[in-house]
Amino acid sequence: PYVAVEGRNTLEYDGDIEIHNAHDRQYTAFGMNANQFAFAYGRSAEQAADAVRRGLAMDIAAEKQKKLAFYDRFAGKTATEHECLFNKCLSTMKSQLYAPEGRFTQIWSTPDRVPHKKLWLWDSVFHALGFRNLDPALAQDLILSMLQTQAEDGFIPHMSTPTASSPITQPPVIAWGAYHVYQTSGDRAFLQQAYECNRRFLAWCRDNRREVDDELYTWLISEELNCRCDESGMDNSPRFDTESRLAAIDFTCFMANETRYMAIIADTLGDVEAAAEYRAWYDAIRSAVNATLWCDEDAFYYDYDIDSNRLHKIESVASFLPLFAGLCDERQAAALVAQLHNPDTFCCEFPIPSISKRDKTFGTDMWRGPVWINYNYMISEGLADYGYTDLARHIIEKTVAVLGEWYDKTGTIYEFYDSENKKAPCLLNRKGLPF
């Protein structure tokens, strides 16, 4: 191995160690011996060189075993045919954990270590769901860190660093995630803390994200063409190509699911009165969704355009969330399942596409066609709840197979994939631009 440096720098030596100075108090050092090499960074030449000496003195076998011990803890947690993919997922999850820093008094996580290095609201919950069967205490930490971003008025930002936060929020999934983590950890103190924080957050959503008196919820829409709705997580979905105020099917379903789980948590904590209040809130949301966002003619759910006073008929994966939130009756659930089998809309080689195949924007750009793993997870959970266990299992198995296929080909796992499973995920577009 050797070091190649771009840009202005000088080379000096400390014994056999070469040191590159970038002239802005950034130094890298490189050294070799018969068995290994070491490359290090420092704020001074001496600091970088000392780090290289420590590296060359390391017992590589012992260091390797220390790293592998993380994986050994979870041996046997998955089927043998998925062992490599499972370990890759573990490696990715492990690499995205951060030590306590700033406001975060316990471990926190990021969905994208490079370039973002930031905490996201619903990503933290997804990470906790992933870790709950591996390390319940760590799963709790990830949710608690996210809750430490909460403002006095109950608002929780969509993105935060140890010292700053964004001014918008993200899908409410805290009660759902916290209760699943609690089922594994059994830690009532954690559940109580998550419950109290989420009570304030859901009240904030109710006070700040409704445009009408009904229990229908509205995302904040921006003027940015390629990211009109960062709050929804569906940055560039064609649902938001106009600047209309939308009573959003996804936001409303997430709120319904949260009130449903808050009632379960209240029962668990012995708060009978609050449990009844949350069930009444859930029933009100369910009535509003089916009265306003369901189209009998199309047998499908849509957003509602508040400005034009009509359904906003964009067929997206968000419209399957009533399954996840338990808002459908059996007839409506069957109609949604029929769409998952319809080759003109949502039946693809790799289901479930983020937008219908007959939408004019359908392609391979983020929320304009590709499949998102988090939505497959949530909708599969909803399908199983309605008794469509074979379809749920098919989606889960296909998802794992596609992740494994592209991991074998590229060495990476991704957050979204080509619904036709033809184009490599690394070649898909991102908000109109090549990856």
Side-chain angles (χ1 to χ4, degrees):
Y2 64 94
V3 178
V5 183
E6 292 183 355
R8 182 168 171 260
N9 72 96
T10 57
L11 174 64
E12 56 190 91
Y13 287 88
D14 184 339
D16 291 335
I17 299 173
E18 65 178 61
I19 300 170
H20 292 269
N21 178 3
H23 297 285
D24 56 358
R25 293 183 54 78
Q26 297 189 72
Y27 298 82
T28 58
F30 175 78
M32 297 176 59
N33 60 27
N35 301 312
Q36 61 206 61
F37 71 89
F39 182 72
Y41 166 86
R43 286 293 185 181
S44 69
E46 293 78 11
Q47 185 184 53
D50 287 346
V52 165
R53 292 188 186 95
R54 290 195 303 273
L56 294 175
M58 281 181 175
D59 181 337
I60 294 298
E63 292 299 320
K64 178 180 177 182
Q65 193 53 49
K66 282 166 59 178
K67 297 291 185 184
L68 292 177
F70 176 81
Y71 304 95
D72 292 340
R73 290 170 57 195
F74 309 120
K77 287 281 189 178
T78 190
T80 303
E81 65 267 27
H82 299 308
E83 185 176 4
C84 288
L85 177 62
F86 179 75
N87 284 333
K88 175 61 177 179
C89 291
L90 282 177
S91 178
T92 300
M93 292 164 71
K94 179 176 181 289
S95 73
Q96 293 173 331
L97 298 175
Y98 281 93
E101 180 182 356
R103 75 177 87 184
F104 304 132
T105 58
Q106 59 279 306
I107 292 174
W108 58 286
S109 66
T110 175
D112 188 3
R113 190 178 184 98
V114 178
H116 292 117
K117 193 188 172 182
K118 296 179 178 72
L119 174 149
W120 263 259
L121 192 166
W122 74 336
D123 295 270
S124 296
V125 175
F126 292 137
H127 299 171
L129 287 168
F131 266 116
R132 76 188 190 279
N133 292 317
L134 305 173
D135 189 331
L138 175 56
Q140 291 182 173
D141 280 353
L142 303 185
I143 290 179
L144 293 174
S145 291
M146 176 268 295
L147 295 175
Q148 287 179 321
T149 68
Q150 187 166 35
E152 287 295 321
D153 63 357
F155 167 77
I156 298 179
H158 95 303
M159 177 274 293
S160 298
T161 71
T163 57
S165 294
S166 66
I168 62 174
T169 190
Q170 228 181 9
V173 290
I174 297 167
W176 170 64
Y179 186 72
H180 279 80
V181 170
Y182 165 75
Q183 286 182 302
T184 305
S185 73
D187 189 334
R188 288 176 66 86
F190 159 76
L191 189 65
Q192 182 76 53
Q193 185 173 349
Y195 174 71
E196 294 299 337
C197 290
N198 203 42
R199 288 195 74 163
R200 294 166 52 222
F201 177 49
L202 296 181
W204 182 90
C205 291
R206 196 178 204 179
D207 292 341
N208 293 275
R209 288 297 184 266
R210 290 190 303 159
E211 296 284 347
V212 294
D213 289 335
D214 284 342
E215 286 295 331
L216 299 173
Y217 291 80
T218 304
W219 301 116
L220 189 68
I221 306 297
S222 78
E223 297 180 357
E224 188 177 341
L225 292 178
N226 284 324
C227 192
R228 285 198 186 276
C229 196
D230 224 3
E231 279 201 340
S232 71
M234 290 188 168
D235 306 20
N236 71 332
S237 173
R239 296 168 58 206
F240 311 114
D241 279 352
T242 66
E243 294 184 53
S244 300
R245 295 176 302 156
L246 300 177
I249 183 64
D250 48 352
F251 199 164
T252 307
C253 285
F254 285 128
M255 287 294 292
N257 196 56
E258 285 294 279
T259 58
R260 178 170 63 158
Y261 272 90
M262 287 293 278
I264 295 170
I265 295 172
D267 278 335
T268 302
L269 297 174
D271 193 343
V272 177
E273 184 177 344
E277 291 173 357
Y278 279 114
R279 288 194 175 90
W281 190 354
Y282 174 82
D283 289 341
I285 296 175
R286 181 174 184 171
S287 295
V289 166
N290 287 307
T292 305
L293 306 185
W294 171 257
C295 177
D296 259 328
E297 180 183 0
D298 298 348
F300 204 60
Y301 289 97
Y302 298 106
D303 301 314
Y304 189 83
D305 189 323
I306 297 168
D307 296 318
S308 63
N309 197 32
R310 63 186 178 188
L311 288 168
H312 186 61
K313 291 193 173 184
I314 303 294
E315 298 171 329
S316 83
V317 69
S319 295
F320 294 98
L321 286 177
L323 292 166
F324 171 67
L327 301 178
C328 312
D329 60 27
E330 296 303 321
R331 175 182 63 89
Q332 292 165 322
L336 294 179
V337 169
Q339 289 284 17
L340 293 175
H341 289 300
N342 185 346
D344 295 328
T345 55
F346 290 94
C347 183
C348 295
E349 172 62 25
F350 178 26
I352 305 165
S354 48
I355 204 73
S356 168
K357 292 167 69 175
R358 62 188 172 199
D359 190 277
K360 64 182 180 181
T361 69
F362 179 83
T364 60
D365 186 352
M366 287 190 74
W367 293 98
R368 296 172 181 255
V371 178
W372 285 73
I373 305 308
N374 55 343
Y375 264 82
N376 273 14
Y377 181 88
M378 292 185 289
I379 293 169
S380 294
E381 188 172 278
L383 287 167
D385 288 344
Y386 276 89
Y388 294 97
T389 52
D390 289 344
L391 180 55
R393 174 56 54 186
H394 167 71
I395 293 171
I396 291 168
E397 290 179 347
K398 185 66 175 180
T399 301
V400 173
V402 170
L403 262 69
E405 176 184 345
W406 290 107
Y407 169 54
D408 287 344
K409 291 178 179 178
T410 68
T412 305
I413 54 176
Y414 304 85
E415 57 182 356
F416 62 90
Y417 292 77
D418 179 11
S419 60
E420 296 302 333
N421 201 32
K422 294 178 180 178
K423 199 170 184 179
C426 55
L427 300 178
L428 303 181
N429 283 10
R430 191 175 188 89
K431 300 179 186 179
L433 300 172
F435 240 138

